[in-house]
Amino acid sequence: MKSYQKTLHLMTVAQVNAALHKLGADFKIKHLSDLVFLETKTGKNTIDQGFVAKGNHLYAITAHYRDLQEPTNFDRGQLFVSQKATAKTTASPVALDQLNGTWIAAATTTSANDTGKLMVKDGFMYQKCYDSIERSAIQDLAKYTLVTLNQNTIYAAQKRDAAQAGYQLTPKSIASGDSIGYLYLFMNDHELLRIGAGQVTSYQKTDSLVAAADLSQTDQTIFEQLDQQKPGESASTITVKAGPAVVGMSDSINYLTDATADQISNNIVIGSVQNGHVTIASESTH
């Protein structure tokens, strides 16, 4: 370790100021103690950056560097801009029952895996993909405690993706997700944003009803009945190919807070649907 320590150097004040200048800062520090250094709560490892903020800008400066045998690029640090300073229109509070209807993304080039159409009914979002209909829960994040959300890695990742796109996912948001990893953020009762893969797609509610051709009553019955017949599980997908309908069951369809939401644990083959009652032909557990 002594040989390693000889190659390790703490940044000087002049080097920090040079890094700040390179990142666009209009100020200089006078002492290294002007930087804030953080220590992780577990393991007591020091984070390899010193932080300083001015206005809406947070500068994270690399604290030290090493001598190497070969020339290499040196990461001076990073610049972060306050989410509040860059965020676009903030989502408005809206009741779940006001979201029911058909939502269309006019700019979408439709395909088998992206029809540009979403159906919302009674707190759930439905969309067609190839031979399947996928269902996800629309989550009112205000029902979760702030501590629970702040400790949730799925929520944190979606919040970061939203911020990078210029929008805010907050503990007051109404939102949903899907198996691909997209975030669906309801801005109000007529505008919905799909955020992910470096793109933002806007959906508008075109009808307060859902057409049977998009989501049949039989499909709705299957989703509802299997939720009831399989306590602790949620019907996630219905797939129809050459044979009978096959329902994929998951432990959860809360895509914004549950890492298991996109994992199918059980496939159920539907026997029949008569008078609102679903009969199971067979099932196989993964």
Side-chain angles (χ1 to χ4, degrees), residues 272-284:
S272 64
V273 182
Q274 294 182 345
N275 300 322
H277 181 72
V278 178
T279 301
I280 296 174
S282 64
E283 53 186 298
S284 59

Side-chain angles (χ1 to χ4, degrees), residues 118-130:
L118 300 171
M119 290 73 70
V120 174
K121 187 74 180 293
D122 300 334
F124 297 100
M125 186 180 75
Y126 303 83
Q127 58 182 314
K128 291 184 178 180
C129 183
Y130 295 107

Side-chain angles (χ1 to χ4, degrees), residues 75-139:
D75 182 9
R76 298 171 183 268
Q78 296 171 287
L79 168 63
F80 298 89
V81 181
S82 170
Q83 177 181 326
K84 293 181 179 179
T86 60
K88 300 174 185 176
T89 305
T90 304
S92 303
V94 59
L96 290 182
D97 58 3
Q98 294 179 332
L99 303 177
N100 286 352
T102 303
W103 298 72
I104 301 293
T108 299
T109 301
T110 60
S111 62
N113 67 328
D114 189 359
T115 64
K117 180 185 292 185
L118 300 171
M119 290 73 70
V120 174
K121 187 74 180 293
D122 300 334
F124 297 100
M125 186 180 75
Y126 303 83
Q127 58 182 314
K128 291 184 178 180
C129 183
Y130 295 107
D131 300 312
S132 301
I133 296 178
E134 181 180 282
R135 180 177 73 148
S136 57
I138 298 174
Q139 297 179 248

